[in-house]
Amino acid sequence: MADSSFDIVSKVERQEVDNALNQAAKEITQRYDFKNVGASIEWSGEKILMQANSEERVKAILDVFQSKLIKRGISLKSLDAGEPQLSGKEYKIFASVEEGISQDNAKKVAKIIRDEGPKGVKAQVQGEELRVSSKNRDDLQAVIALLKGKDFDFALQFVNYR
């Protein structure tokens, strides 16, 4: 019998991020506490730019955007938001959406699977993802449960289970 396997990835659907950004922009234009403060959120190349005339307001914009991401099922671990910066009379926050598992993080996950996972489970780093394989499907389920119980500083999804 062939080995069963699944892939561990860290992907974000760009369209869902775009939808969350549009919803946040709409809420910002309609909310009373954002009137006349120059509040805005938009794409700036590959980054997301949030700006307002005070530090508290720009943090509130980030909070609105994060709540929209959560509603759309996107992990906040994939959002890398900087600190508010004063630029002229405006405060700005640049945020980026992180995708892919770095080599170091993939090695950490593989080590956890080797050390704490069931025997006979193999983990291989393949670019920005990790392939986990085993002869026993129950062992793969145990690995998924083990990794869901850990708290990583990056988002994980489990795909291609076969």
Side-chain angles (χ1 to χ4, degrees):
M1 187 173 131
D3 282 4
S4 299
S5 68
F6 68 90
D7 295 333
I8 301 173
V9 296
S10 181
K11 287 194 166 59
V12 175
E13 206 170 312
R14 172 80 179 210
Q15 185 62 49
E16 290 297 325
V17 175
D18 206 33
N19 290 343
L21 185 118
N22 291 334
Q23 286 179 335
K26 184 181 270 188
E27 183 173 323
I28 288 165
T29 58
Q30 293 174 346
R31 272 182 41 179
Y32 180 76
D33 57 338
F34 288 121
K35 295 277 188 236
N36 301 324
V37 294
S40 69
I41 180 170
E42 61 197 13
W43 284 105
S44 174
E46 284 297 306
K47 292 189 178 279
I48 298 164
L49 170 65
M50 294 161 262
Q51 57 188 11
N53 65 2
S54 74
E55 190 172 349
E56 292 80 29
R57 287 286 160 246
V58 80
K59 285 181 179 177
I61 293 170
L62 177 61
D63 191 44
V64 168
F65 182 54
Q66 287 175 336
S67 71
K68 299 300 180 191
L69 287 174
I70 291 170
K71 284 183 182 172
R72 295 217 154 256
I74 297 171
S75 173
L76 291 183
K77 292 178 181 176
S78 59
L79 181 71
D80 181 27
E83 290 297 312
Q85 302 168 342
L86 183 61
S87 172
K89 292 183 178 180
E90 299 233 313
Y91 281 88
K92 296 181 179 183
I93 294 179
F94 285 99
S96 61
V97 179
E98 310 257 328
E99 283 195 305
I101 302 174
S102 69
Q103 290 291 323
D104 292 341
N105 289 338
K107 287 177 184 173
K108 284 181 200 169
V109 173
K111 182 170 177 14
I112 288 172
I113 292 170
R114 265 195 321 277
D115 295 347
E116 301 176 29
K119 298 291 178 235
V121 176
K122 295 185 283 294
Q124 302 161 317
V125 178
Q126 297 179 334
E128 291 190 338
E129 60 184 43
L130 193 67
R131 164 119 343 132
V132 180
S133 59
S134 172
K135 293 200 181 304
N136 187 345
R137 284 182 166 229
D138 291 341
D139 288 349
L140 294 180
Q141 293 287 346
V143 169
I144 291 174
L146 170 74
L147 294 177
K148 282 185 176 179
K150 299 283 181 190
D151 186 33
F152 295 105
D153 57 350
F154 52 96
L156 291 180
Q157 291 92 30
F158 307 100
V159 297
N160 295 336
Y161 185 82
R162 50 181 162 237

